[in-house]
């Protein structure tokens, strides 16, 4: 399975890559900002997206609407953000995020949620 | 008899020059100390705590736009992606004659809305209010109004702002993503803060992508490069000290954060002046003094706002002309501050400093030149004295520039290439010879224009605020 | 010109000459400083990058991928040999661990703490507390706090000694999370200015607690300093800590700002069991527009009829002007609610309400 992790924190995406590889879930491609993320999504198809909210160029919210409204994809999306206010979570959900995780996050739980989403969407 | 005149003139030069130099040095030293202190205090700050706090104050970003259709989409997008949780972006279209509104409408999927807002400040008529249908842009509010100049547009923004803090910015500026988080901190630390100002840096030749600064470079052209040095001196060595003394009179129009209620109560921006940003801060301070409220004006030395500066002589001349007019007008409108105890440090130090060392200095300098010219004509020119005086002044200016470069190097270190520093130092040596005379010339022209007639204000308005002319950053140490 | 008059001129020129030499000398000094600084910075950055390249993958995999004790010990040894006794390298390692910690939770976070201890970095951070430089001390506090290392006595005594606001704030915030026994010890030990910035950071720490472990706010709601009391009332409201309701109700009889905050939080928490206390407030606070409005809001939550009755009773004793004002406020707050109509019907002050209507 192909995952796209979009976050401007390089260490963090590295950690996610390590964890996913360790769990044998698939590969993780990394986009360091919103623009790169759009470029990569246009080129390839991913099975799951991990998005940060505050990123250079395009915010996570914008990416959400881009995926849902413009590309019209149902790809499962998990939003990972340090801004964990209830309004933010609600907004992310409204815009089409399947799940929300607040930073700091537990990598084991991330894997769990990815697996859950996978089951729901019958990937694997 | 003539020797007495000579003495007199030497005395004036000595007193004026000496006091000016002393002031500049004192300000530079205070700034350097203060900046160190600022960096020490803030090196460990985690600005994310502001981001995820429900009690962080809301901010309304007000960006007036006039015929900016070329860049407006990128700029608005970059404003919308600023890192802050509780903010709105108010773009005030000041009667643009281009297709700004149409473009915004297309990209952001706007619809006209009927909203009733209290409008405490009198402004030109608002034509329409737009919001986006797309939820991702729910923070965006676009106001279309009749042309009335930048100050008028800002007042409309103040009227429509729904948050307790208002950030007034130029839409063509590049704002760093964490700018609001940093600017809001002084308000959180001290209830008395009514305004905070930020540094303006020069974006010429920098790599910009979609309204974001990607790489900082020293301008490739000579004129902007000179201005880099000017801005470094003004923002790193001057304002930091004035804010420490709580005597800051000017927050650049390009980026400032204000308490909305104070801004509205003191009457908002003055639409009849070209130096609206300085006039505004001075009036806010005056208002607080008159109401007897203690207050503070803070200043953030972090490079948070980048702007393009004039590349050619004509533009540059117009800008400096405007600044000179703006300065003079602000000083004139608030002349009752002059050595007025009632206004505390602002009346006793800041205002006189501006009067003597900002406004008067071009005249003194020209006077000096005329004196030497006359002596030359009369055949009594004292070569050695002239030469020594010249060298001393030049050495002093170089010293101040070197301090500014040092301040930049030891804090933010934005110009990373070794040849960039070398170039800056070279520029520091050339600047008093090449750029300064031009600045003096334009300042004097500005003053003359001011006296010639108030009629020209009307024209100013229509001229709008073309890009690159909006940052009033007085470039000596103030 | 005679000689007497030429001399001072020459003296002036000599003075100018010396002055310019002085300026040039200082300027050159700073230029040299700029270049040395730059040189050192570039060199340090290179070192750092090179070092990070070595440790980052190793630390990353130690935190993420499970290891048995033997493997762990082997990797620790490797890291220790890489870091050595070099302060700069130790600092880089700590910074990286802190950065990871700020993004990770759960088991991985536990492994980060383990790493911090096993690499003997605790001592490194503690040494910073012993220095006289407050920036170093603050750094030390930050490092220990983010790695969950707490030394009650050291922190407390530092808190009582220091006059440096930044360090003091750091300690207060750190202790809120670290001190499981008494998170608000600092409020007891010293008197300090509770700025918005500090409140925000304390709140941020409290957010990390599980709901059940959240410290009890009630003792602090009765604090003599109003800003402390209101802050804790706000916290109780934000975390919806129902157990402090009694303390909040007690605060109703306090000073105006505290009482307002208390009323507001009771309304927010939907706790309407203190009707009598709130009614008792009316005699003292009715004049104040904010408070009277809050009182009305509260009473409206309890019992509609009661609310209308009180409103009518109260209006009777008031000057016409203030009645008008209040009616106006009611209009704007309860617009289109049945209560307002009820008042309209029963009130003898129809004029006033007409005024409210007209608005």
């Amino acid at each position: 399975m192909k995952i796209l992790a979009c976050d401007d924190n390089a260490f963090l995406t590295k950690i996610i890559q390590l964890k996913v590889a360790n769990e044998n879930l698939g590969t993780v491609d990394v986009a360091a900002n919103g623009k790169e993320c759009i470029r990569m999504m246009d080129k390839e198809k991913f099975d799951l997206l991990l998005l940060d909210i505050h990123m250079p160029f395009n915010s996570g919210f914008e990416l959400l609407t881009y995926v849902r409204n413009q590309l019209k994809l149902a790809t499962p999306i998990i939003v990972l953000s340090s801004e964990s206010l209830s309004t933010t979570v609600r907004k992310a959900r409204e815009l089409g995020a399947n799940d929300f995780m607040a930073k700091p996050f537990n990598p084991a739980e991330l894997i769990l949620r990815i697996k859950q989403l996978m089951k729901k969407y019958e990937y694997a | 008899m003539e020797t007495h005149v000579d003495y007199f003139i030497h005395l004036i030069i000595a007193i004026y020059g000496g006091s000016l130099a002393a002031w500049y040095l004192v300000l530079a030293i205070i700034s350097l100390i203060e900046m160190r202190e600022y960096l020490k205090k803030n090196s460990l700050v985690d600005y994310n705590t502001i981001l995820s706090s429900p009690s962080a104050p809301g901010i309304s970003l007000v960006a007036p736009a006039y015929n900016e259709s070329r860049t407006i989409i990128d700029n608005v997008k970059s404003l919308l992606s600023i890192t802050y949780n509780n903010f709105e972006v108010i773009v005030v279209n000041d009667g643009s004659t281009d297709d700004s509104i149409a473009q915004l409408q297309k990209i952001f999927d706007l619809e006209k809305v009927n909203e009733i807002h209290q409008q405490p400040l009198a402004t030109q008529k608002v034509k329409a209010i737009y919001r986006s249908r797309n939820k991702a842009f729910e923070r965006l509010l676009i106001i279309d109004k009749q042309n009335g100049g930048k100050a008028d547009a800002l007042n409309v923004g103040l009227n429509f702002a729904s948050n307790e803090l208002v950030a007034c910015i130029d839409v063509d500026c590049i704002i760093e993503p964490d700018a609001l988080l940093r600017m809001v901190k002084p308000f959180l630390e001290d209830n008395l803060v009514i305004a905070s100002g930020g540094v303006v840096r020069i974006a010429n030749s920098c790599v910009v992508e979609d309204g974001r600064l990607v790489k900082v470079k020293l301008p490739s052209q000579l004129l902007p490069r000179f201005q880099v040095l000017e801005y470094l001196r003004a923002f790193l060595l001057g304002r930091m000290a004035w804010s420490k003394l709580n005597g800051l009179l000017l927050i650049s129009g390009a980026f400032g954060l204000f308490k909305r209620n104070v801004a509205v109560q003191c009457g908002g921006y003055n639409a009849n002046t070209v130096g609206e940003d300085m006039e505004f801060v001075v009036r806010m301070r005056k208002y607080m003094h008159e109401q007897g409220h203690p207050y503070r004006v803070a200043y953030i030395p972090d490079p948070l706002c980048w702007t393009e500066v004039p590349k050619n002589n004509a533009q540059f001349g117009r800008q400096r002309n405007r600044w000179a007019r703006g300065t003079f007008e602000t000083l004139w409108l608030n002349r009752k501050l002059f050595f007025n105890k009632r206004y505390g440090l602002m009346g006793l130090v800041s205002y006189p400093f501006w009067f003597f060392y900002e406004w008067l200095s071009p005249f003194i300098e020209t006077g000096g030149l005329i004196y030497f010219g006359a002596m030359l004509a009369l055949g009594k020119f004292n070569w050695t004295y002239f030469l020594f005086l010249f060298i001393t002044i030049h050495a002093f200016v170089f010293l101040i520039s070197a301090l500014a470069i040092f301040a930049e190097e030891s804090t933010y270190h934005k110009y990373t290439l070794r040849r960039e520093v070398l170039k800056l130092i070279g520029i520091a040596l050339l600047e008093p010879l090449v750029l300064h005379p031009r600045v003096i010339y334009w300042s004097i022209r500005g003053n003359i224009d001011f006296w010639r007639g108030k009629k020209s204000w009307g024209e100013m308005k229509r001229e709008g605020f073309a890009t690159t002319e909006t940052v009033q950053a007085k470039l000596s140490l103030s | 010109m005679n000689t007497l008059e030429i001399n001072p001129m020459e003296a002036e020129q000599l003075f100018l000459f010396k002055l310019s030499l002085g300026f040039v000398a200082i300027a050159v000094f700073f230029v040299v400083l700029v270049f040395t600084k730059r040189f050192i910075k570039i060199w340090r950055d290179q070192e750092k990058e090179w070092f990070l390249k070595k440790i980052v993958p190793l630390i990353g995999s130690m935190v993420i991928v499970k290891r048995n004790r033997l493997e762990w010990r082997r990797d620790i040894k490797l890291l220790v040999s890489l870091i050595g006794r070099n302060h700069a390298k130790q600092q880089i390692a700590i910074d990286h661990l802190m950065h990871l910690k700020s993004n990770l939770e759960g088991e991985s976070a536990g492994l980060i703490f383990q790493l911090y201890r096993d690499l003997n970095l605790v001592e490194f951070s503690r040494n910073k507390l012993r220095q006289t430089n407050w920036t170093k001390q603050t750094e030390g506090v930050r490092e220990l706090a983010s790695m969950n290392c707490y030394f009650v006595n050291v922190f407390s005594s530092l808190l009582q000694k220091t006059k440096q606001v930044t360090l003091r704030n750091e300690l207060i915030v750190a202790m809120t999370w670290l001190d499981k026994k008494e998170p608000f010890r600092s409020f007891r030990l010293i008197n300090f200015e509770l700025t918005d910035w500090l409140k925000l950071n304390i709140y941020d720490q409290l957010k990390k607690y599980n709901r059940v472990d959240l410290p009890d706010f009630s003792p602090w709601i009765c604090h003599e300093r109003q800003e402390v009391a209101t802050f804790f009332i706000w916290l109780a409201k934000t975390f919806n800590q129902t157990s402090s309701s009694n303390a909040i109700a007690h605060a109703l009889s306090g000073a105006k700002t505290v009482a307002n905050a208390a009323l507001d939080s009771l309304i927010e928490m939907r706790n309407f069991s203190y009707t009598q206390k709130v009614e008792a407030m009316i005699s003292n606070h009715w004049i104040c527009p904010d408070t009277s409005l809050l009182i009305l809001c509260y009473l409206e939550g309890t019992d509609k009829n009661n609310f209308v009755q009180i409103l009518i009773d109260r209006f009777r004793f008031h000057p016409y002007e203030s009645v008008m004002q209040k009616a106006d406020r009611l209009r704007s707050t309860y617009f289109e609610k049945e209560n307002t109509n009820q008042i309209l019907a029963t009130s003898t002050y129809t004029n006033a309400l007409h005024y409210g209507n007209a608005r």
Side-chain angles (χ1 to χ4, degrees):
Chain A
M1 131 155 159
K2 274 169 81 91
I3 297 175
L4 177 63
C6 190
D7 196 312
D8 50 345
N9 181 347
F11 291 129
L12 193 75
T13 44
K14 190 89 209 152
I15 289 286
I16 294 174
Q17 275 179 325
L18 265 171
K19 186 76 191 173
V20 171
N22 186 237
E23 299 277 333
N24 281 326
L25 274 180
T27 57
V28 178
D29 286 352
V30 174
N33 57 51
K35 222 165 120 181
E36 218 177 295
C37 185
I38 287 180
R39 206 180 307 136
M40 291 174 76
M41 280 189 303
D42 287 343
K43 242 185 0 213
E44 290 175 75
K45 206 174 156 300
F46 291 94
D47 302 321
L48 190 126
L49 296 177
L50 292 172
L51 297 180
D52 188 8
I53 288 181
H54 295 289
M55 281 180 299
F57 301 119
N58 302 79
S59 76
F61 292 137
E62 259 178 81
L63 291 179
L64 275 171
T65 45
Y66 181 74
V67 175
R68 295 292 186 243
N69 300 348
Q70 245 158 300
L71 297 181
K72 302 215 187 293
L73 290 176
T75 320
I77 299 177
I78 300 178
V79 172
L80 261 175
S81 173
S82 51
E83 188 189 311
S84 55
L85 293 174
S86 55
T87 47
T88 318
V89 181
R90 202 177 317 131
K91 192 172 165 187
R93 294 239 185 225
E94 273 171 13
L95 292 175
N98 300 69
D99 209 339
F100 186 97
M101 279 185 84
K103 283 184 202 167
F105 71 99
N106 184 349
E109 199 184 322
L110 178 70
I111 294 299
L112 222 69
R113 295 201 188 185
I114 291 178
K115 281 183 180 161
Q116 260 175 13
L117 279 176
M118 270 163 61
K119 217 181 269 165
K120 208 164 147 193
Y121 286 81
E122 287 174 85
Y123 287 103
Chain B
M1 182 62 212
E2 275 153 8
T3 44
H4 285 301
V5 175
D6 267 0
Y7 264 141
F8 182 66
I9 286 173
H10 283 212
L11 198 67
I12 286 184
I13 292 176
I15 291 174
Y16 188 81
S19 61
L20 181 74
W23 258 113
Y24 274 31
L25 274 181
V26 169
L27 288 175
I29 289 165
I30 296 177
S31 288
L32 286 174
I33 295 171
E34 195 46 27
M35 196 126 76
R36 244 179 89 92
E37 203 60 15
Y38 174 86
L39 288 175
K40 270 196 208 165
K41 272 190 193 145
N42 290 284
S43 61
L44 287 177
V45 170
D46 180 7
Y47 288 96
N48 276 336
T49 51
I50 305 180
L51 196 60
S52 47
S53 163
S55 61
I59 298 178
S60 298
L61 270 162
V62 176
Y66 179 77
N67 288 351
E68 310 262 1
S69 69
R70 201 168 43 86
T71 54
I72 196 159
I73 299 298
D74 280 352
N75 288 327
V76 172
K77 273 200 171 164
S78 114
L79 289 180
L80 284 169
S81 66
I82 277 181
T83 318
Y84 199 78
N85 74 55
N86 184 9
F87 78 108
E88 60 176 347
V89 176
I90 303 178
V91 178
V92 185
N93 179 38
D94 189 30
S96 296
T97 49
D98 61 5
D99 61 340
S100 299
I101 283 285
Q103 283 209 29
L104 287 167
Q105 215 150 11
K106 199 177 98 203
I107 300 288
F108 294 108
D109 190 18
L110 298 180
E111 63 178 344
K112 257 193 202 171
V113 289
N114 286 315
E115 284 176 22
I116 298 160
H117 289 254
Q118 269 202 338
Q119 298 188 34
L121 300 170
T123 59
Q124 295 285 341
K125 202 170 161 273
V126 171
K127 287 193 276 190
I129 311 166
Y130 300 91
R131 282 192 191 273
S132 172
R133 291 191 191 90
N134 186 341
K135 235 184 161 268
F137 303 123
E138 68 181 352
R139 287 179 167 144
L140 184 63
L141 173 66
I142 291 186
I143 300 171
D144 195 15
K145 69 179 275 284
Q146 251 149 31
N147 183 266
K150 187 182 176 191
D152 193 60
L154 286 168
N155 282 339
V156 169
L158 281 174
N159 276 341
F160 279 78
S162 57
N163 292 315
E164 59 179 297
L165 298 178
V166 176
C168 295
I169 60 167
D170 282 350
V171 78
D172 59 330
C173 276
I174 297 156
I175 308 283
E176 297 275 345
D178 58 348
L180 290 184
L181 294 174
R182 286 171 188 267
M183 292 280 282
V184 83
K185 194 173 166 248
F187 290 88
L188 295 171
E189 285 173 321
D190 189 348
N191 268 329
L192 299 178
V193 173
I194 57 166
S196 73
V199 176
V200 177
R201 291 288 193 104
I202 291 176
N204 296 48
S205 302
C206 290
V207 184
V208 177
E209 236 177 275
D210 293 354
R212 285 262 174 172
L213 190 77
V214 180
K215 191 172 170 13
V216 179
K217 278 186 180 168
L218 198 65
S220 54
Q221 283 161 306
L222 206 55
L223 191 61
R225 208 181 278 172
F226 277 125
Q227 295 175 67
V228 167
L229 197 64
E230 281 189 304
Y231 277 54
L232 283 183
R233 277 199 312 243
F235 284 106
L236 293 185
L237 291 189
R239 294 202 191 165
M240 199 68 217
W242 282 116
S243 106
K244 169 74 185 166
L245 302 171
N246 197 13
L248 194 65
L249 288 195
L250 174 59
I251 288 175
S252 296
F255 195 35
L257 191 56
F258 306 93
K259 270 203 179 137
R260 180 178 179 263
N261 59 354
V262 180
V264 170
Q265 275 158 22
C266 79
Y269 282 89
N270 181 347
N272 293 318
T273 167
V274 276
E276 76 283 330
D277 46 5
M278 179 175 178
E279 206 277 334
F280 180 57
V281 176
V282 172
R283 198 147 32 78
M284 255 173 111
R285 302 189 67 129
K286 216 165 90 181
Y287 172 81
M288 293 305 273
H289 273 288
E290 281 162 5
Q291 299 292 313
H293 299 313
Y295 70 94
R296 238 163 58 73
V297 174
Y299 176 76
I300 303 293
D302 301 317
L304 299 177
C305 171
W306 299 75
T307 190
E308 293 259 334
V309 296
K311 292 184 273 287
N312 61 47
N313 240 327
Q315 270 183 345
F316 182 67
R318 254 187 297 153
Q319 182 195 45
R320 293 307 155 98
N321 184 316
R322 264 163 48 93
W323 289 4
R325 277 187 287 166
T327 307
F328 185 61
E329 205 175 19
T330 305
L331 293 177
W332 178 249
L333 286 173
N334 298 289
R335 57 192 174 278
K336 80 168 182 194
L337 295 180
F338 192 65
F339 282 121
N340 191 338
K341 262 211 311 271
R342 210 179 137 203
Y343 296 99
L345 191 103
M346 170 167 68
L348 294 177
V349 186
S350 303
Y351 187 99
F353 181 92
W354 272 79
F355 179 80
F356 286 116
Y357 301 129
E358 292 298 335
W359 178 70
L360 206 58
S361 73
F363 298 104
I364 300 256
E365 283 180 51
T366 325
L369 281 179
I370 292 173
Y371 165 73
F372 280 118
M375 289 292 111
L376 197 63
L378 291 173
K380 282 194 248 167
F381 191 64
N382 186 343
W383 276 106
T384 44
Y385 175 66
F386 180 77
L387 203 70
F388 279 117
L389 190 65
F390 178 80
I391 291 175
T392 313
I393 293 171
H394 197 147
F396 180 74
V397 175
F398 180 64
L399 167 61
I400 293 289
S401 299
L403 282 177
I405 297 171
F406 172 73
E408 156 68 7
E409 180 66 30
S410 54
T411 52
Y412 301 110
H413 188 77
K414 286 288 175 189
Y415 298 108
T416 43
L417 299 176
R418 193 169 310 165
R419 83 184 111 80
E420 287 177 328
V421 193
L422 276 174
K423 278 178 191 163
L424 268 181
I425 289 167
I427 288 288
L429 284 169
L430 275 181
E431 191 237 18
L433 302 175
V434 183
L435 188 79
H436 193 61
R438 280 191 250 179
V439 174
I440 300 269
Y441 171 73
W442 289 115
S443 304
I444 289 179
R445 280 288 298 271
N447 277 286
I448 294 172
D449 285 357
F450 176 73
W451 284 116
R452 269 222 191 122
K454 308 222 160 200
K455 276 176 252 149
S456 57
W457 300 138
E459 262 169 65
M460 263 323 298
K461 261 188 207 165
R462 241 173 300 132
E463 185 184 312
F465 32 97
T467 26
T468 75
E469 283 199 37
T470 35
V471 197
Q472 176 170 6
K474 282 303 290 188
L475 292 174
S476 334
L477 296 174
S478 32
Chain C
M1 286 190 219
N2 60 44
T3 43
L4 271 174
E5 272 165 313
I6 291 168
N7 270 337
M9 285 294 247
E10 279 177 349
E12 191 185 352
Q13 284 164 17
L14 196 65
F15 173 72
L16 283 178
F17 180 66
K18 283 181 185 163
L19 201 63
S20 55
L21 270 188
F23 288 154
V24 170
I26 304 172
V28 168
F29 170 75
F30 275 103
V31 169
V32 171
L33 212 57
V34 164
F35 280 102
T36 20
K37 275 211 161 206
R38 170 151 297 208
F39 183 73
I40 292 170
K41 186 174 163 47
I42 291 172
W43 180 73
R44 274 207 191 134
D45 285 353
Q46 275 172 354
E47 288 278 293
K48 186 177 168 184
E49 204 180 326
W50 175 82
F51 180 62
L52 271 178
K53 249 185 211 149
K54 282 191 159 173
I55 62 165
V56 166
L58 186 55
I59 290 182
S61 80
M62 284 175 84
V63 169
I64 291 297
V65 184
K66 280 227 168 66
R67 282 167 159 66
N68 62 33
R69 200 183 296 163
L70 219 64
E71 288 168 327
W72 179 267
R73 281 241 294 275
R74 179 201 67 204
D75 286 347
I76 288 285
K77 245 187 207 154
L78 186 58
L79 272 178
V80 167
S81 72
L82 277 172
I83 295 168
R85 298 209 139 270
N86 184 327
H87 284 331
K89 285 180 181 167
Q90 282 172 324
Q91 189 60 53
I92 295 169
I94 289 186
D95 288 343
H96 182 62
L97 287 178
M98 282 186 4
H99 181 79
L100 284 181
K101 171 68 208 14
S102 70
N103 284 305
L104 296 178
E105 231 181 37
E107 207 179 323
S108 306
L111 288 172
I112 293 174
F113 300 152
Q114 190 65 43
L115 253 171
Y116 180 68
R117 293 199 176 92
D118 288 355
L119 291 173
N120 282 329
L121 294 172
V122 183
E123 212 30 51
F124 178 77
S125 301
R126 265 196 80 165
N127 275 333
K128 286 188 179 174
L129 299 186
R130 300 196 190 98
Q131 294 191 11
T132 45
N133 179 348
W134 67 265
T135 30
K136 284 280 167 221
Q137 290 176 322
T138 314
E139 268 177 37
V141 174
R142 171 65 61 92
E143 286 160 14
L144 290 168
S146 55
M147 292 300 151
N148 263 359
C149 294
Y150 188 42
F151 306 98
V152 190
N153 298 330
V154 184
F155 277 46
S156 305
S157 73
L158 203 55
L159 182 70
Q160 282 164 306
K161 260 195 313 208
T162 185
K163 290 197 171 55
Q164 185 59 45
V165 180
T166 314
L167 174 58
R168 200 181 60 201
N169 287 354
E170 190 72 39
L171 283 161
I172 294 168
V173 172
M175 286 163 85
T176 310
W177 168 246
L178 294 175
D179 202 319
K180 298 287 187 273
K181 246 195 218 141
E182 195 188 349
F184 304 117
R185 193 187 293 266
S186 44
F187 285 84
R188 183 169 56 82
L189 291 177
I190 54 164
N191 235 335
F192 55 86
E193 196 196 348
L194 189 61
T195 58
D196 287 347
W197 175 244
L198 197 49
K199 288 181 195 168
L200 210 131
N201 279 285
I202 291 176
Y203 167 78
D204 200 57
Q205 295 299 316
L206 290 171
K207 250 185 4 193
K208 295 200 279 186
Y209 279 92
N210 288 326
R211 283 194 71 92
V212 278
D213 301 332
L214 209 62
D216 182 19
F217 300 135
S218 38
W220 303 98
I221 288 172
C222 316
H223 200 271
E224 65 221 352
R225 279 170 62 204
Q226 289 185 22
E227 75 256 40
V228 176
T230 45
F231 175 55
F232 278 95
I233 290 173
W234 180 82
L235 284 177
K237 175 182 96 175
T238 314
F239 288 103
N240 202 2
Q241 191 178 65
T242 40
S243 57
S244 19
S245 301
N246 272 329
I248 297 177
H250 188 71
L252 287 174
S253 45
K256 202 182 94 186
T257 44
V258 180
N260 277 0
L263 253 179
D264 175 56
S265 69
L266 284 178
I267 295 168
E268 196 86 355
M269 291 158 82
R270 318 281 322 150
N271 186 336
F272 295 112
S273 46
Y274 300 98
T275 323
Q276 278 187 340
K277 275 205 151 142
V278 175
E279 278 180 19
M281 280 176 80
I282 296 177
S283 50
N284 287 329
H285 295 292
W286 189 254
I287 317 273
C288 164
D290 296 344
T291 319
S292 55
L293 203 66
L294 281 169
I295 293 175
L296 287 177
C297 283
Y298 188 86
L299 293 178
E300 196 218 14
T302 52
D303 176 4
K304 306 273 147 127
N305 293 324
N306 192 12
F307 159 69
V308 174
Q309 197 49 49
I310 284 172
L311 202 62
I312 293 166
D313 283 355
R314 278 300 139 185
F315 273 170
R316 195 168 299 145
F317 305 109
H318 273 262
Y320 187 70
E321 289 269 294
S322 98
V323 176
M324 290 224 291
Q325 266 180 5
K326 220 141 272 174
D328 191 18
R329 283 180 142 270
L330 274 175
R331 270 269 117 196
S332 53
T333 325
Y334 301 107
F335 193 66
E336 283 184 352
K337 278 191 185 168
E338 62 178 304
N339 299 340
T340 335
N341 293 328
Q342 226 173 323
I343 300 164
L344 263 173
T346 51
S347 173
T348 46
Y349 294 91
T350 28
N351 275 339
L353 289 156
H354 272 307
Y355 171 82
N357 250 341
R359 276 291 179 91

